Amino acid sequence: MHELSLAVNIVEIAEKEAKQEGASSVQEVIIEAGALSGVDAGILQGALEFASKNTSLETTLFTIEVPIGTGICADCGIEFEMKDILDRCPVCGGPAGEFIAGTEFRIVALKVD
Amino acid sequence: MCETCGCGEPGVITDHTHELNHPHSHESHEERVIEVRKGVLDENAKIAERNRGFLDGRKAVCLNVVGSPGSGKTSILEATCRHFGNQFPMYVIEGDQQSDLDAGRIKSTGVPALQINTGFGCHLDAQMVNGALKEMKIGEQGVVFIENVGNLVCPALFDLGETERVLVLSVTEGDDKPLKYPYMFRSAHLCLVSKTDLLGYVDCNLEKLEEAIRSVHPHMEMIPVSVKTGEGMDKWYSWLEKLRKASAYR
C-alpha cells in the first residue's frame, strides 16, 4: 500500500524537475528500485499509473529497473549477489549482515521534449 | 529547429535569407535526457534528520515502535509509562488510521500523548512526526515513543528520525513472521516478543523465532516479554535506561 505514496512522490519530483528544465512534456521516467529496497516494482508500476492520472505525466512511460543487490555474509564475510532479501551466502549459508548495494530507490533520469 | 525560418527541419533549406537576430538555436526539439538521480524518499529523509537534530538538542531518546495491529504495542507502552512514572519526561505519539483510543489509554497513565490519524495512510512519515514533536514541547533527556500504525509492511521504509526502531511481535502471530515480513525485521534494532504468557497455548517456538530473526537480521536483539505476568519487562526497561543514559551523555 505504501507504493501509492511513493508513486505520488515520484510524480511530484518528476514534474518539478521537468518544469525546472523547461521541458514541454515528459516521455519517460526511469526509476531504479533495487532488489533489496523493499519496493515491489510490479505494485509500483500500477501505483504510478494511478498517481499520474490528471497530471502532466498522464501519458508518460514509467520504466522501473531493479538492480541486483550485494550483501556481506555475517558469518564468513564474503560479498555475494542477492536477488532477494532472504538470499544466503553461497559459500557457508550464512545470512547477510550488511547490504552494500541494491537498497537504492531513486529517479535516475527523465526523457523529455 | 529555428522557429522563425524552420531551418534544421528535414527538407528546409538552411541558407538564411532573413536576419539572424531572432533566437536561432539549431538544437533539435527531439527527446533529451535530464539526469535526476534523486532518491524518492530524500524529502522524508531530510525531515527525519531535522527531527533527529531536534531530539539530539534536547538529549532525548526517540523510539519508533512498529508491529502488527494487536501485537501489544500500546499495552507495552502503558506498562512502561507506569513503570517509569516521573523518573524522566515521557511523551507518546500515537499513529492510527482512525480514532484516539490509544492516546486515551496512554493519557490515563499520566503521560502526555498526541494522536495522529493517518486517514487512508498506512504509515507515519517524518513530516507528521515533525509537527507532533513541535506541538508536544519535548523536555530535556526525555523519551519519546512513537507508536506507528499497526502494519508489518509499510512503516519499514519511512525513517521518522528515531534513535532506534523497536518491533513488537506477539507469540500468537507465529515464529515464521520474520521470514514473511523481512523488510520490517531488517529495519528494526530490537524485537520485543510479546504475550509470552500464551506460549503454552499457541504454536510458537522461541528458538525457531530467534533463528528466523537471525536469518533476516543477524544483529537484532530479542527480548521475550509479558505485560500480564511482567516476565522479561525488567530486561526491556534496562535496555531503555541504557539507551537513555547513552543519549544524555552524547
Side-chain angles (χ1 to χ4, degrees):
Chain A
M1 209 160 129
H2 58 287
E3 273 80 5
L4 184 57
S5 68
L6 301 174
V8 171
N9 276 5
I10 291 173
V11 170
E12 282 174 4
I13 297 170
E15 279 193 313
K16 202 172 150 194
E17 291 285 328
K19 199 176 163 193
Q20 269 172 14
E21 293 286 330
S24 55
S25 73
V26 181
Q27 300 304 317
E28 187 179 356
V29 178
I30 301 159
I31 299 153
E32 267 180 5
L36 310 176
S37 67
V39 178
D40 184 307
I43 297 175
L44 182 64
Q45 192 82 57
L48 281 164
E49 263 175 48
F50 186 77
S52 60
K53 281 226 167 81
N54 301 319
T55 73
S56 62
L57 302 188
E58 187 151 12
T59 58
T60 301
L61 173 70
F62 293 95
T63 303
I64 306 170
E65 291 164 359
V66 184
I68 292 175
T70 307
I72 298 179
C73 175
D75 293 339
C76 76
I78 69 147
E79 281 181 23
F80 62 100
E81 217 171 67
M82 298 179 77
K83 288 182 180 158
D84 184 276
I85 192 171
L86 293 178
D87 283 352
R88 297 179 83 101
C89 170
V91 177
C92 76
E98 210 184 312
F99 299 148
I100 52 173
T103 57
E104 62 274 40
F105 179 38
R106 58 184 182 176
I107 300 182
V108 180
L110 308 179
K111 284 187 185 161
V112 302
D113 277 344
Chain B
M1 109 193 148
C2 162
E3 284 182 356
T4 304
C5 60
C7 53
E9 190 83 313
V12 174
I13 299 158
T14 54
D15 186 15
H16 298 105
T17 51
H18 61 275
E19 295 216 359
L20 293 177
N21 57 2
H22 62 267
H24 205 260
S25 163
H26 276 219
E27 224 174 61
S28 83
H29 280 207
E30 279 168 20
E31 217 169 66
R32 63 191 165 103
V33 175
I34 303 171
E35 297 255 339
V36 180
R37 302 201 175 279
K38 271 197 184 144
V40 176
L41 291 166
D42 278 3
E43 189 57 28
N44 185 73
K46 204 165 76 187
I47 300 166
E49 281 313 319
R50 217 175 281 157
N51 293 349
R52 211 164 264 126
F54 177 93
L55 293 157
D56 275 358
R58 288 159 180 78
K59 297 186 186 301
V61 166
C62 178
L63 299 177
N64 180 2
V65 183
V66 296
S68 310
S71 55
K73 297 184 292 300
T74 317
S75 296
I76 289 174
L77 292 183
E78 277 177 292
T80 307
C81 289
R82 290 210 164 89
H83 174 79
F84 287 109
N86 295 324
Q87 290 181 41
F88 48 82
M90 286 183 283
Y91 311 87
V92 179
I93 297 169
E94 284 288 346
D96 281 298
Q97 274 204 308
Q98 303 251 347
S99 94
D100 57 359
L101 294 169
D102 281 358
R105 283 171 63 182
I106 297 296
K107 280 178 189 162
S108 72
T109 69
V111 167
L114 193 133
Q115 182 79 47
I116 300 175
N117 284 138
T118 56
F120 290 105
C122 46
H123 57 267
L124 292 173
D125 64 30
Q127 183 63 57
M128 299 175 192
V129 170
N130 186 273
L133 286 174
K134 284 176 185 158
E135 206 176 320
M136 292 200 91
K137 300 190 172 60
I138 307 299
E140 291 276 311
Q141 299 186 20
V143 176
V144 182
F145 298 100
I146 305 169
E147 186 181 337
N148 218 312
V149 178
N151 181 332
L152 274 184
V153 184
C154 311
L157 257 59
F158 295 84
D159 183 6
L160 303 179
E162 69 264 27
T163 319
E164 307 257 290
R165 193 171 289 188
V166 178
L167 194 160
V168 179
L169 177 81
S170 62
V171 298
T172 56
E173 292 170 72
D175 47 34
D176 56 356
K177 285 299 165 292
L179 303 173
K180 290 182 170 177
Y181 301 96
Y183 287 96
M184 186 62 97
F185 279 84
R186 181 81 204 186
S187 78
H189 303 91
L190 169 71
C191 180
L192 291 176
V193 182
S194 64
K195 308 189 190 180
T196 54
D197 51 294
L198 296 177
L199 268 174
Y201 305 97
V202 292
D203 290 329
C204 178
N205 179 320
L206 283 187
E207 273 170 34
K208 254 190 174 170
L209 174 62
E210 198 163 7
E211 179 46 37
I213 289 176
R214 198 186 121 68
S215 66
V216 176
H217 188 346
H219 309 304
M220 180 145 78
E221 284 180 77
M222 167 177 144
I223 304 176
V225 297
S226 164
V227 172
K228 275 260 177 342
T229 65
E231 187 202 350
M233 291 298 278
D234 52 336
K235 283 193 188 134
W236 151 241
Y237 298 144
S238 319
W239 184 91
L240 181 57
E241 273 284 32
K242 206 172 133 194
L243 187 66
R244 203 179 74 81
K245 282 182 181 143
S247 294
Y249 294 117
R250 198 164 41 207

